[in-house]
């Protein structure tokens, strides 16, 4: 059983997003004839007609508040019933502030599958939202029966590990490790190499044939069909990859000389030759071309780092948020982190809480102000503020938002001078 859901209002036709491979294993049902305990009637019980309405609206990608209004239930009652029914979907609907607050509170503590079930979203959607909020998992939660069921079914069906990880909300490494613990073996895993096939494959690779050609030759000669990645992994394990066993020709040397003379892109030359960058660098040194390229960073795909760029990075790194620094220098955060690491720079940027901010946290907690409103007033991320309040033993929980939202000044005006500061 595979449950899928397509993104609505999409102009282009996309493949459906798989959100569940198999239903969670049902709980153990008492044997026939076993006496069942009596359960008192509840006036809040869900009737069959209400459940049908819930399923219909949920399948139509209606929002949780709209479903709650249609069924005359609370938002939390609808989410609880969705979790009981095991409904999940991949939806393009935006995340609400209450969902973000709940995700900040529960992420890293509860299993991703449980959070996705409560929100009526896919695990991949929860995982992506947590990444956008800057949340991390110090210790991943235990695996649930639902996650194990998806993993076993995915392995039996030959689903790629990356896809299984997106469905469950776990990394590929975590999926592989859990599969090993459960004794699952993926059918796409290559069979062992027989000695005669191994010797023939090595001969073809050393002769300079491309990996795709080696794959076709082996299949044509009656050997088992191998994937391209299997051929590459074999060459890597034996240290006979292309560029090591294939001699450089005169035409390739001429093309490399032209690239250095015309200041051409060296990554493009390496791709055209079908050789790794290390092989191209080694051959350039052998031909006396190393250091003669017009661009000092000939293998760099992005803009070259100038002396002015490096001086700016040294002066500003660690003094301002990385987003602002990346925007100012016109580079990505990853590029700044990589260059700073090469230069031995230490970030050290952390905006400390001021006395007024610490007092505002305590006052907001005492006066029922929502964490999201407090984050807006302080100009901080909700995730950062949640970690700070949690470390000081202040739990905000679910609170109603204020309209208009309070400012730092209005929050401080509610405080009393004799209260204890949480950061003291």
């Amino acid at each position: 059983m595979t449950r899928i859901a397509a993104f609505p209002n999409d102009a282009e036709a996309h493949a459906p997003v798989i959100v569940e491979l198999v239903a969670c294993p049902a709980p153990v049902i008492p044997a026939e004839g076993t006496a069942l305990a009596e359960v008192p009637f509840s006036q809040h019980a869900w009737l069959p007609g209400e459940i049908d309405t819930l399923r219909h609206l949920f399948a139509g990608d209606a929002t949780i508040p709209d479903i709650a209004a249609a069924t005359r239930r609370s938002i939390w009652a609808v989410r609880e019933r969705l979790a009981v029914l095991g409904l999940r979907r991949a939806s393009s609907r935006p995340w609400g502030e209450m969902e973000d607050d709940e995700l900040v509170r529960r992420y890293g503590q509860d299993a991703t599958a449980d959070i996705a079930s409560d929100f009526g979203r896919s695990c991949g959607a929860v995982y992506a939202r947590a990444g956008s909020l800057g949340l991390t998992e110090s210790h991943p939660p235990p695996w649930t029966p639902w996650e194990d069921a998806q993993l076993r079914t995915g392995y039996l069906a030959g689903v790629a590990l990356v896809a299984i990880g997106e469905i469950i909300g776990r990394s590929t490494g975590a999926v592989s490790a859990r599969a090993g613990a459960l004794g699952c073996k993926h059918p796409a895993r290559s069979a062992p190499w027989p000695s005669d096939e191994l010797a023939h494959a090595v001969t073809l690779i050393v002769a300079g044939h491309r990996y795709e050609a080696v794959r076709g030759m082996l299949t044509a000669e009656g050997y088992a069909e191998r994937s391209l990645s299997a051929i590459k992994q074999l060459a890597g394990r034996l240290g006979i990859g292309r560029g090591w066993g294939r001699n450089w020709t005169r035409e390739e040397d001429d093309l490399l000389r032209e690239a250095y003379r015309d200041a051409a892109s060296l990554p493009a030359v390496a791709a055209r030759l079908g050789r790794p960058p290390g092989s191209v660098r080694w051959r350039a040194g052998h031909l006396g071309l190393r250091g003669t390229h017009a661009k000092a960073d000939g293998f760099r795909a992005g803009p070259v780092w100038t002396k002015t760029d490096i001086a700016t990075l040294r002066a500003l790194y660690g003094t301002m948020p990385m987003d602002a620094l990346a925007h100012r220098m016109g580079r990505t955060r990853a590029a700044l982190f990589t260059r700073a690491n090469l230069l031995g720079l230490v970030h050290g940027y952390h905006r400390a809480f001021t006395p007024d901010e610490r007092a505002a946290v305590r006052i907001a907690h005492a006066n029922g102000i929502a964490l999201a409103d407090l984050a807006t007033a302080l100009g901080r991320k909700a995730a950062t503020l949640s970690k700070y309040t949690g470390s000081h033993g202040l739990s905000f929980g679910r609170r109603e938002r204020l309209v208009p939202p309070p400012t730092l000044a209005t929050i401080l005006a509610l405080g009393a001078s004799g209260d204890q500061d949480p950061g003291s």
Side-chain angles (χ1 to χ4, degrees):
M1 168 183 168
T2 302
R3 186 173 299 162
I4 60 176
F7 289 99
N9 302 326
D10 200 346
E12 300 179 1
H14 294 289
V17 179
I18 299 176
V19 297
E20 187 176 60
L21 293 172
V22 66
C24 184
V28 179
I29 301 177
E32 186 176 355
T34 304
L36 299 179
E38 293 185 1
V39 179
F41 173 77
S42 174
Q43 61 178 347
H44 301 294
W46 285 77
L47 302 178
E50 293 178 315
I51 294 179
D52 292 341
T53 301
L54 174 67
R55 290 182 181 274
H56 176 73
L57 294 175
F58 189 78
D61 203 35
T63 63
I64 300 296
D66 290 343
I67 298 176
T71 57
R72 296 183 180 181
R73 302 273 183 171
S74 67
I75 293 176
W76 306 110
V78 171
R79 285 181 174 169
E80 185 271 340
R81 183 51 48 179
L82 291 175
V84 171
L85 297 176
L87 298 180
R88 290 177 174 82
R89 64 183 171 189
S91 175
S92 59
R93 59 189 172 91
W95 283 73
E97 295 181 355
M98 294 182 65
E99 287 182 310
D100 285 343
D101 293 344
E102 184 71 3
L103 182 61
V104 169
R105 184 181 68 84
R106 296 179 57 182
Y107 193 75
Q109 305 296 328
D110 299 342
T112 307
D114 293 341
I115 299 177
S117 177
D118 292 344
F119 286 6
R121 296 181 181 270
S122 66
C123 288
V126 174
Y127 206 66
R129 187 60 178 176
S132 66
L133 294 177
L135 305 178
T136 58
E137 295 182 0
S138 56
H139 298 286
W143 283 71
T144 64
W146 179 85
E147 292 176 315
D148 287 341
Q150 308 311 307
L151 188 147
R152 288 193 176 96
T153 304
Y155 261 65
L156 291 176
V159 180
L161 297 187
V162 176
I164 297 176
E166 291 177 351
I167 295 171
I168 296 177
R170 302 264 187 175
S171 65
T172 305
V175 172
S176 179
R178 183 61 177 176
L182 296 177
C184 300
K185 183 177 180 181
H186 203 279
R189 185 176 180 181
S190 300
W193 288 77
S195 57
D196 57 337
E197 183 185 6
L198 178 63
H200 190 42
V202 170
T203 302
L204 295 176
I205 296 174
V206 172
H209 296 288
R210 295 183 177 274
Y211 295 141
E212 186 63 40
V214 173
R215 177 173 176 265
M217 292 176 184
L218 293 175
T219 304
E221 294 177 15
Y223 292 105
E225 185 175 356
R226 301 282 181 177
S227 64
L228 187 60
S229 61
I231 305 293
K232 292 181 179 179
Q233 291 176 5
L234 173 64
R237 290 198 304 269
L238 300 178
I240 56 173
R242 286 203 316 267
W244 293 96
R246 180 160 56 96
N247 294 329
W248 281 75
T249 64
R250 181 177 300 177
E251 291 77 10
E252 289 178 320
D253 288 344
D254 292 340
L255 182 61
L256 186 58
R257 290 190 181 96
E258 292 178 5
Y260 269 77
R261 182 190 63 203
D262 301 336
S265 171
L266 294 184
V269 174
R272 180 178 177 184
L273 296 176
R275 295 181 179 272
S279 177
V280 176
R281 290 192 182 96
W282 173 86
R283 191 61 179 177
H286 177 76
L287 298 175
L289 302 176
R290 192 72 179 269
T292 62
H293 199 281
K295 297 181 180 179
D297 297 325
F299 276 98
R300 180 174 296 280
V304 177
W305 281 85
T306 63
K307 294 183 179 179
T308 303
D309 293 335
I310 294 177
T312 302
L313 182 63
R314 288 184 181 275
L316 300 180
Y317 190 74
T319 64
M320 58 192 306
M322 289 300 294
D323 290 335
L325 182 57
H327 178 72
R328 176 170 178 172
M329 299 190 66
R331 297 179 182 270
T332 62
R333 287 165 48 94
L336 297 185
F337 278 123
T338 301
R339 179 57 55 171
N341 184 49
L342 293 175
L343 297 175
L345 303 180
V346 179
H347 195 285
Y349 175 80
H350 178 71
R351 177 183 156 198
F353 279 78
T354 65
D356 285 345
E357 288 179 324
R358 293 197 298 269
V361 170
R362 181 235 331 137
I363 296 171
H365 178 265
N367 288 271
I369 297 176
L371 185 68
D373 286 339
L374 178 60
T376 302
L378 300 183
R380 293 181 177 271
K381 294 181 179 180
T384 302
L385 196 57
S386 177
K387 292 179 180 179
Y388 176 82
T389 55
S391 64
H392 289 85
L394 301 178
S395 177
F396 278 71
R398 303 187 186 96
R399 298 181 176 185
E400 295 293 333
R401 301 294 301 274
L402 299 178
V403 180
T407 63
L408 177 60
T410 57
I411 294 177
L412 293 175
L414 299 175
S417 59
D419 293 336
Q420 182 67 26
D421 190 292
S424 59

